[in-house]
Amino acid sequence: MPIISSGIETEMVVRYQTGTTAAGSPVFRQKAFSGLKMDVSDEDLYEAATTLFALLEYPLVFVTRNNRFDLIEE
């Protein structure tokens, strides 16, 4: 039974540092932006994240891309 994979959407997850604890350890937060088109390039996704965080006071730590697929039987 073959399975067909059909792309639905891409989600961009950004992790950023909001400060430090009293002990000096970094405090991180994470935000997901879902509903993005599957055909967006990795470069465009990363550029969007870095451009957005250039406007904010928090430093961007990393960007993750999650692709979502529907799986159906052929």
Side-chain angles (χ1 to χ4, degrees):
M1 136 178 85
I3 302 296
I4 298 173
S5 174
S6 175
I8 301 173
E9 70 178 3
T10 293
E11 177 182 61
M12 176 178 66
V13 180
V14 293
R15 187 171 190 189
Y16 53 97
Q17 185 177 345
T18 59
T20 56
T21 64
S25 300
V27 176
F28 297 108
R29 295 287 183 259
Q30 187 168 295
K31 174 72 177 159
F33 300 89
S34 60
L36 305 174
K37 292 185 178 183
M38 289 290 296
D39 62 352
V40 65
S41 71
D42 293 339
E43 291 80 11
D44 287 343
L45 198 70
Y46 188 81
E47 184 179 343
T50 56
T51 301
L52 175 64
F53 274 82
L55 301 172
L56 302 175
E57 63 184 271
Y58 302 122
L60 181 63
V61 177
F62 68 77
V63 181
T64 302
R65 177 184 187 140
N66 296 327
N67 292 324
R68 295 183 187 183
F69 297 87
D70 272 342
L71 302 175
I72 56 172
E73 285 185 54
E74 185 175 57

